Amino acid sequence: MPAHETFYEVMRRHGVTRRSFLKFCSLTAAGLGLGPEFAGKIAHALETKPRTPVVWLHGLECTCCTESFIRSGNPLAGDVVLSMISLDYDDTIMAAAGHQAEEILEQTIEKYDGQFILACEGNPPLNEDGMYCIQAGRPYVEKLRHMADHCKAIIAWGSCASWGCVQAARPNPTQATPIHKVILDKPVIKVPGCPPIAEVMTGVITYMLAFDRLPPLDRQGRPQMFYGQRLHDKCYRRPHFDAGQFVEKFDDEGARKGYCLYKVGCKGPTTYNACSTIEWNGGLSWPVKSGHGCLGCAEDNFWDKGSFYSPVTNLGVTGNVESTADTIGGTLAAAAAIGVAAHAAASVVAKATGKKKTQPREEVSNG
Ligand code: SF4
Ligand code: SF4
């Protein structure tokens, strides 16, 4: 398969009709929270641009980001991996191994110097000259720096690459370090979460391919379209929070009635992510919907902030609990530069991936 083929050419070669292709573009625009007029722009980009080369590296991590990515329902990861991007190297899912695999890195640099996206899952440990993560006989941090020198931009998948995550928990013996603190001269797009939501991951890649630029980011480097609001802002249990109706224990009457989980530790009031709108498993559910509070896994330092089962603040939840939570959230909101479009983006994705169970692969395949 020639690497210079466009996404459209690949789809046509697989027997996809033009009508299905345009339908795919409309769904993608909706999934990104963009207006219908952007469907044409996406179609034009996918028809004319060569597929984007991507190198996907793994540092200290558990591979949950890859596990999440391959379960994306909109667009299906298969569409993204096999058609929209040219995934030249991924040491988890590639067929090559050993020297043959490592040679692909150099070949990618030779062919696409300054043009490929470097997708990083996990982080490099810096202690002991990087010896806590050795790949192909050398410290991972060396491999990361080498590839970063030649890439166009970096996507930091998940909370490990974005913030450090549990391997950076105090006292952080390996000095696990997030990507943006190691690579200082390339743009780093943080897509945090443990793992990130599948549709958020594929949505970020789709945006970069279609528009040939980084998605709008907040001050922490996260795409605004997916990280522009708190879970608390769109949580279906929010009316119970506002009414002061809380679960006190996981087996009490409030839990059975579906009351708010704030008192049993829900971090939704301070967590920026799209779980309460896009949800998980193709829009089937999310932790709060299954009766457990949010752990705040998309936020920096969530692993060292104390018990997952303690309320967000120590100020109690009587009286002005809402203003307390909103004060905390409001402070973060200012820092995160919420975009108005974020609500629309997440809502449309929720519709596309949720109740209707839209399946772009079927759409594009069946005509
Ligand atoms: S505290 Fe948690 S459960 Fe309660 S409304 Fe906010 S996000 Fe939902
Ligand atoms: S609900 Fe909270 S802990 Fe769960 S995935 Fe979403 S941000 Fe992470």
Side-chain angles (χ1 to χ4, degrees):
M1 183 185 297
H4 58 266
E5 268 189 317
T6 66
F7 171 67
Y8 180 62
E9 285 166 346
V10 174
M11 291 185 91
R12 291 292 289 173
R13 194 154 49 75
H14 284 91
V16 174
T17 65
R18 178 157 184 81
R19 179 172 164 271
S20 297
F21 168 71
L22 294 175
K23 204 168 182 179
F24 171 85
C25 294
S26 299
L27 280 171
T28 300
L32 292 170
L34 303 170
E37 69 276 15
F38 281 91
K41 290 184 182 172
I42 291 173
H44 179 70
L46 298 181
E47 278 172 328
T48 53
K49 287 181 188 168
R51 292 182 306 147
T52 304
V54 175
V55 169
W56 191 310
L57 301 182
H58 297 254
L60 288 187
E61 45 92 11
C62 69
T63 318
C64 75
C65 298
T66 293
E67 289 289 340
S68 178
F69 184 77
I70 62 176
R71 282 163 180 74
S72 176
N74 182 32
L76 281 179
D79 287 321
V80 175
V81 174
L82 301 177
S83 302
M84 294 171 65
I85 62 176
S86 170
L87 189 58
D88 292 353
Y89 179 97
D90 183 332
D91 40 15
T92 299
I93 60 175
M94 68 197 300
H99 292 297
Q100 195 188 23
E102 295 309 299
E103 276 167 19
I104 293 172
L105 292 176
E106 297 310 315
Q107 287 165 9
T108 303
I109 290 173
E110 221 169 87
K111 280 195 274 184
Y112 305 112
D113 199 359
Q115 298 170 47
F116 65 89
I117 293 171
L118 188 62
C120 299
E121 184 172 348
N123 57 45
L126 304 184
N127 206 5
E128 306 278 359
D129 297 324
M131 67 161 281
Y132 293 101
C133 186
I134 300 291
Q135 295 178 12
R138 60 177 172 158
Y140 170 64
V141 66
E142 281 183 18
K143 182 176 178 178
L144 171 67
R145 285 188 174 123
H146 177 55
M147 296 310 293
D149 275 348
H150 298 276
C151 77
K152 179 160 78 172
I154 296 173
I155 301 177
W157 289 138
S159 291
C160 302
S162 298
W163 309 129
C165 209
V166 291
Q167 56 273 51
R170 286 191 297 265
N172 191 3
T174 68
Q175 284 182 27
T177 306
I179 302 295
H180 69 280
K181 292 190 175 171
V182 177
I183 307 299
L184 306 175
D185 58 352
K186 289 288 162 80
V188 178
I189 304 150
K190 300 191 187 95
V191 186
C194 191
I197 300 169
E199 287 75 15
V200 169
M201 299 174 79
T202 51
V204 168
I205 285 196
T206 305
Y207 186 97
M208 292 174 74
L209 174 69
F211 299 107
D212 205 16
R213 60 173 185 256
L214 309 189
L217 305 176
D218 68 14
R219 289 187 195 174
Q220 295 193 50
R222 304 171 296 191
Q224 285 179 3
M225 63 184 71
F226 297 118
Y227 295 89
Q229 65 180 344
R230 301 172 299 170
L231 270 62
H232 188 65
D233 296 330
K234 290 288 180 181
C235 178
Y236 76 102
R237 295 194 190 213
R238 178 64 183 264
H240 293 299
F241 178 94
D242 294 343
Q245 296 170 323
F246 297 101
V247 174
E248 305 282 344
K249 289 193 299 182
F250 281 109
D251 59 352
D252 69 5
E253 187 62 17
R256 279 186 283 280
K257 287 182 173 171
Y259 285 176
C260 170
L261 296 159
Y262 175 83
K263 280 192 177 182
V264 287
C266 181
K267 306 298 186 287
T270 53
T271 300
Y272 287 80
N273 204 349
C275 305
S276 57
T277 47
I278 294 177
E279 302 190 24
W280 284 84
N281 299 323
L284 183 68
S285 187
W286 63 295
V288 165
K289 210 173 188 177
S290 63
H292 196 285
C294 164
L295 306 181
C297 80
E299 294 297 321
D300 191 8
N301 205 34
F302 80 91
W303 54 90
D304 269 342
K305 281 182 177 165
S307 170
F308 291 150
Y309 298 98
S310 300
V312 171
T313 72
N314 294 323
L315 301 178
V317 291
T318 53
N320 64 344
V321 59
E322 177 162 20
S323 64
T324 299
D326 273 347
T327 300
I328 298 162
T331 306
L332 292 171
I338 290 177
V340 176
H343 282 223
S347 301
V348 177
V349 172
K351 280 179 195 151
T353 59
K355 308 293 179 286
K356 288 182 183 171
K357 292 278 179 283
T358 305
Q359 296 290 329
R361 178 183 281 278
E362 289 172 12
E363 295 287 357
V364 296
S365 300
N366 298 336

